[in-house]
Amino acid sequence: MPRSCSARAARDYAFAELGWTTLTSCVARGNTRSAALAERLGAKVDAALSAAHEDTVIYRYKAGEART
């Protein structure tokens, strides 16, 4: 199963089945493939959290804003 399918399934499960309203992905700075995947799935950089982490960019997914 491609990574994007697994990530999408986990995201959708957390929102639909667990009732979560937000999720985060922690991506190492410079990891362009993981950053692109997070963005394709609808995540946006959480600038406030990312600023607190030198080597990590925090991406946030919000229920209702995620892409399919």
Side-chain angles (χ1 to χ4, degrees), residues 43-54:
K44 295 181 177 131
V45 173
D46 186 318
L49 283 178
S50 294
H53 300 278
E54 185 177 311

Side-chain angles (χ1 to χ4, degrees), residues 26-52:
C26 302
V27 178
R29 292 192 190 276
N31 185 339
T32 57
R33 291 181 69 185
S34 290
L37 174 59
E39 291 171 7
R40 273 197 314 274
L41 294 177
K44 295 181 177 131
V45 173
D46 186 318
L49 283 178
S50 294

